[in-house]
Each structure stands twice: as structure tokens, then as C-alpha cells.
């Protein structure tokens, strides 16, 4: 197979990986293409929960007779360790595939570079590092989380045209198109992080309310130093339907008992400079297989995390409306702060009617 053909099929595998990016739980989104006699005979991508893996999904569609002497193209190095499923390397060997081509090495120490050695030792032809720069972009979030042992953090904020965060007369500042886009952002992360102040002020649902995406509603993490969250809030009363964490410091026995009864996971958190230790919180979330977080908080939380450089990317929704005297909580300098924190920006207003969306990364 020529290098040109190899790149063509790896590009197909990469496109499969991109199509499921953000929807495969704690596992990376992978694409796999099986080719024989220069024809695609099967393909697969990672399952919505992170399993089955792409290679398994591609192989189970065809018989061992068909897979024998074929080539499999994969966007990421196949796993070689035993986890909740058996290694994909073993499945490739059992399928009698004669050649493996993958775009980039995994950074997971349980697999990184090991699959290459295993396959070569079994006389399988292996080619790697094809379209590597494309794959680096696909796996940017995953690689960051695996290397740093903490989640990749997105920020999101909505402001009026004249920089207010709230409207005295309406709950939402932005239009329906912006709201739907925000729900899509929620669907592509493992967890939403907010504060009890935001919950007590706004009583948000923080789920995905778009047809077809409700099953992708992320976990909820709440910062509540003194356990002041309102008992009648939506998130407290619906915690049994979605995994919810509360990070706290003040021990209130009655409140702890009540929140545990509501099926909330309570995590006692040490303080750092009189605030909940955010590094501790990120490590805990990572230990619960949360690799991506979307912060949806108010002015205080967002400003604090921006100041300390915690955000990896940020989405700023800007309404077409000026609120004037109806506006509450102004952040006039938010655009200049974001511009100073991030190297690149993308302005997206194609699908948002008159609203604007600036993506900082």
C-alpha cells in the first residue's frame, strides 16, 4: 500500500474519531477502518460510554475469514492492557490481521509504545505517526488530562452587549440559538462545575435539553464550602438521576445526612487561602474518571479561575441586546481579560442569529 493510500485511510479513521469526540466518556474517541484488497470492508468508532473500543466495533462486523490478511487503520495506538475489556491488540492478533497502521502513540503509560512492540514481535507489519499533527489536535484534551492527571477545563459565560451577566426582567440574556449551542457544549464534557451561590441564585438544571442529547447530560460538581445549598433546589432533588458531587469544608451533620439521603457524593475538601482547594478538587474529579469539565458559574467563580489560569478554553456568548438599567453584575473588562489569557480566538456568529460566540483557546 502506498503512503498516499495509507494517509487516505488514516484520514478516514481520524474523521470517525472526530465525529464522536466528547461523547465517549472517560475514554478517547477512536476511529478504525479495516481494508482488504484496497476496499473498506469494515469500520468502527468508540462506543458512547467509552466501550466497546473502535477496533472491537470494526472487527465484530466481519468474520475472521474476511479480516485475515487485511490492514487496520486506527487514529490512536490500540490498547494493550487489561481494563474493563480485553486488549484491542489481542483482538487484532486473533483476527489474523497482517498490518496495523495508526496515527499517533497513546500517552497512557499502560499502552504507550507497548502495542508497537507486541505487534512487531508477532510478525505484524506496523506503521505509525501518519497525519500525526491532525491527531494531536483530536486528542489534545485527552493527552492533557492523561499527562496532568486532572481534567481539561472549559469555561462558559454569557453577557449582554453592554457586558451585564444578568437581566432583571428575564432569566436568559442570550437567544434560543445560543442556548442550544450551550447545551451542545454540555453534552461534550464529563462534568459541569458550578457553585452553591449560582444554584441558590438561579436554580439551574445544568442538563442537556436537546432531543437526542439528554442521555449525554454530564455529572455535576458543586463547590459549597459551608454547605449552604438550598434543599429545594432542582439539582439536590434530582441528584438520584445524575451523579452529583458536593465539595465542602464546614461539617454540618444535619445537612450532610440530608444530602447523602438525596444520593449526593460529599467530598470533604481542605482550604487554600480560605477557599476550597481547587487543585484537590480537580484531582478528585480525575479519580472519578472525569477528564473534561465545563465551568458554569457566576462572576466570582469565573473571575477567580481566570485569574489563576485554570481554564484551557473559554466560550463567551455575547447577546445582541443592551440591558442598560435592566442589567445586573457588569464585567466590562471580560473580553480584554480573556484576550490576555489565550493566544487564539474564533468568532462564530453563523448559527446564532444576532448573538455572537467567541471561542478562546
Amino acid at each position: 500500500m502506498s503512503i498516499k493510500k495509507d494517509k487516505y485511510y488514516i484520514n478516514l479513521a481520524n474523521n470517525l474519531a472526530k465525529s464522536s469526540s466528547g461523547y465517549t466518556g472517560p475514554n478517547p474517541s477512536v476511529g478504525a477502518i479495516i481494508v482488504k484488497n484496497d476496499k473498506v470492508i469494515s469500520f468502527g468508532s468508540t462506543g458512547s460510554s467509552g466501550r466497546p473500543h473502535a477496533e472491537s466495533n470494526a472487527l465484530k462486523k466481519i468474520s475472521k475469514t474476511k479480516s485475515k490478511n487485511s490492514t487496520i487503520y486506527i487514529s490512536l495506538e490500540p490498547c494493550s492492557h487489561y481494563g474493563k475489556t480485553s486488549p484491542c491488540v489481542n483482538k487484532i492478533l486473533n483476527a489474523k490481521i497482517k498490518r496495523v497502521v495508526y496515527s499517533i502513540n497513546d500517552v497512557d503509560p499502560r499502552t504507550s509504545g507497548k502495542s508497537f512492540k507486541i505487534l512487531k514481535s508477532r510478525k505484524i507489519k506496523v506503521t505509525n505517526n501518519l497525519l500525526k499533527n491532525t491527531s494531536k489536535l483530536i486528542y489534545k484534551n485527552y493527552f492533557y488530562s492523561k499527562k496532568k492527571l486532572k481534567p481539561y477545563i472549559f469555561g462558559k459565560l454569557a453577557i449582554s452587549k453592554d457586558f451585564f451577566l444578568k437581566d432583571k426582567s428575564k432569566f436568559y440574556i442570550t437567544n434560543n440559538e445560543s442556548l442550544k449551542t450551550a447545551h451542545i457544549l454540555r453534552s461534550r464534557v464529563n462534568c459541569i462545575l458550578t457553585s452553591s451561590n449560582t444554584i441558590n441564585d438561579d436554580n439551574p438544571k445544568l442538563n442537556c435539553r436537546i432531543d437526542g442529547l439528554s442521555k449525554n447530560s454530564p455529572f455535576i460538581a458543586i463547590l459549597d464550602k459551608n454547605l449552604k445549598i438550598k434543599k429545594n433546589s432542582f439539582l439536590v432533588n434530582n441528584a438520584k438521576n445524575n451523579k452529583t458531587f458536593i465539595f465542602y469544608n464546614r461539617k454540618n451533620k444535619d445537612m450532610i445526612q440530608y444530602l447523602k439521603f438525596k444520593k449526593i457524593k460529599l467530598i470533604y475538601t481542605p482550604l487554600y487561602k480560605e477557599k476550597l482547594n481547587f487543585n484537590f478538587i480537580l484531582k478528585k474529579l480525575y479519580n472519578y474518571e472525569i477528564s473534561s469539565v465545563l465551568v458554569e458559574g457566576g462572576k466570582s467563580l469565573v473571575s477567580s479561575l481566570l485569574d489563576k489560569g485554570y481554564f484551557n478554553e473559554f466560550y463567551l456568548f455575547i447577546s445582541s441586546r443592551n440591558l442598560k438599567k435592566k442589567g445586573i453584575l457588569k464585567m466590562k473588562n471580560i473580553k480584554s481579560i480573556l484576550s490576555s489569557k489565550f493566544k487564539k480566538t474564533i468568532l462564530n456568529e453563523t448559527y446564532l442569529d444576532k448573538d455572537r460566540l467567541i471561542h478562546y483557546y
Side-chain angles (χ1 to χ4, degrees), residues 84-100:
K84 294 182 180 179
T85 58
S86 57
C88 289
V89 163
N90 290 3
K91 293 170 185 176
I92 290 169
L93 292 170
N94 291 335
K96 304 297 181 183
I97 286 173
K98 71 174 182 180
R99 185 167 178 249
V100 175

Side-chain angles (χ1 to χ4, degrees), residues 238-256:
N238 285 271
K240 63 182 179 182
N241 300 319
N242 191 16
K243 193 161 190 175
T244 302
F245 305 88
I246 289 183
F247 293 88
Y248 74 102
N249 180 263
R250 183 181 177 185
K251 294 182 178 180
N252 180 329
K253 290 183 179 180
D254 291 340
M255 195 61 171
I256 288 171

Side-chain angles (χ1 to χ4, degrees), residues 70-74 78 92 97-102 119 124-128:
S70 64
T71 299
I72 187 167
Y73 293 86
I74 317 167
I92 290 169
I97 286 173
K98 71 174 182 180
R99 185 167 178 249
V100 175
V101 183
Y102 62 89
L119 292 167
I124 305 294
K125 296 177 182 178
V126 185
T127 303
N128 61 357

Side-chain angles (χ1 to χ4, degrees), residues 74-333:
I74 317 167
S75 59
L76 182 69
E77 179 181 10
C79 67
S80 59
H81 62 277
Y82 281 88
K84 294 182 180 179
T85 58
S86 57
C88 289
V89 163
N90 290 3
K91 293 170 185 176
I92 290 169
L93 292 170
N94 291 335
K96 304 297 181 183
I97 286 173
K98 71 174 182 180
R99 185 167 178 249
V100 175
V101 183
Y102 62 89
S103 183
I104 194 169
N105 277 0
D106 197 344
V107 295
D108 189 327
R110 297 172 298 177
T111 286
S112 187
K114 295 175 183 177
S115 296
F116 185 92
K117 293 178 181 178
I118 293 170
L119 292 167
K120 293 288 280 186
S121 71
R122 296 290 294 271
K123 310 302 180 184
I124 305 294
K125 296 177 182 178
V126 185
T127 303
N128 61 357
N129 293 328
L130 285 185
L131 303 183
K132 186 176 180 180
N133 289 336
T134 301
S135 296
K136 280 182 178 178
L137 293 176
I138 296 171
Y139 296 110
K140 178 181 65 173
N141 305 5
Y142 167 70
F143 284 178
Y144 174 90
S145 182
K146 279 293 180 184
K147 288 177 180 178
K148 302 289 186 180
L149 303 180
K150 61 182 181 180
Y152 191 91
I153 304 179
F154 298 89
K156 180 181 79 68
L157 199 64
I159 60 173
S160 66
K161 197 173 181 180
D162 48 353
F163 305 103
F164 287 104
L165 298 181
K166 290 189 175 185
D167 184 337
K168 289 180 182 177
S169 58
K170 292 184 179 180
F171 187 79
Y172 296 113
I173 291 176
T174 51
N175 62 23
N176 286 333
E177 286 74 15
S178 290
L179 293 174
K180 289 176 182 177
T181 302
H183 283 254
I184 292 171
L185 292 179
R186 288 176 180 175
S187 75
R188 300 178 75 91
V189 297
N190 305 142
C191 180
I192 293 175
L193 185 142
T194 189
S195 69
S196 58
N197 288 338
T198 295
I199 293 168
N200 291 343
D201 289 345
D202 302 335
N203 196 23
K205 294 181 179 179
L206 300 182
N207 53 12
C208 300
R209 298 188 296 280
I210 294 180
D211 288 345
L213 290 182
S214 58
K215 66 178 181 179
N216 296 106
S217 291
F219 295 161
I220 303 295
I222 302 165
L223 309 185
D224 189 7
K225 177 182 172 182
N226 296 315
L227 290 180
K228 295 293 186 180
I229 193 168
K230 291 179 180 178
K231 291 182 177 181
N232 63 348
S233 65
F234 177 88
L235 291 177
V236 169
N237 287 302
N238 285 271
K240 63 182 179 182
N241 300 319
N242 191 16
K243 193 161 190 175
T244 302
F245 305 88
I246 289 183
F247 293 88
Y248 74 102
N249 180 263
R250 183 181 177 185
K251 294 182 178 180
N252 180 329
K253 290 183 179 180
D254 291 340
M255 195 61 171
I256 288 171
Q257 186 177 3
Y258 179 81
L259 294 171
K260 283 184 176 179
F261 172 75
K262 288 293 185 177
K263 307 300 181 185
I264 292 173
K265 176 68 178 178
L266 288 153
I267 300 175
Y268 180 79
T269 305
L271 299 181
Y272 178 74
K273 294 184 177 179
E274 299 185 357
K275 293 185 177 181
L276 294 174
N277 188 319
F278 199 67
N279 289 324
F280 174 90
I281 290 166
L282 293 182
K283 293 290 185 183
K284 281 292 183 181
L285 291 175
Y286 181 82
N287 290 340
Y288 281 99
E289 295 191 320
I290 292 171
S291 59
S292 58
V293 169
L294 175 64
V295 176
E296 293 199 39
K299 182 177 180 178
S300 177
L301 177 60
V302 170
S303 297
S304 175
L305 297 184
L306 269 174
D307 182 58
K308 295 177 175 64
Y310 278 110
F311 290 113
N312 299 104
E313 297 184 34
F314 203 96
Y315 293 90
L316 181 67
F317 290 85
I318 305 174
S319 171
S320 60
R321 297 188 297 131
N322 284 307
L323 296 183
K324 299 180 181 178
K325 292 183 179 180
K326 293 190 295 182
I328 308 172
L329 291 176
K330 200 165 193 176
M331 287 188 76
K332 191 172 183 178
N333 60 345

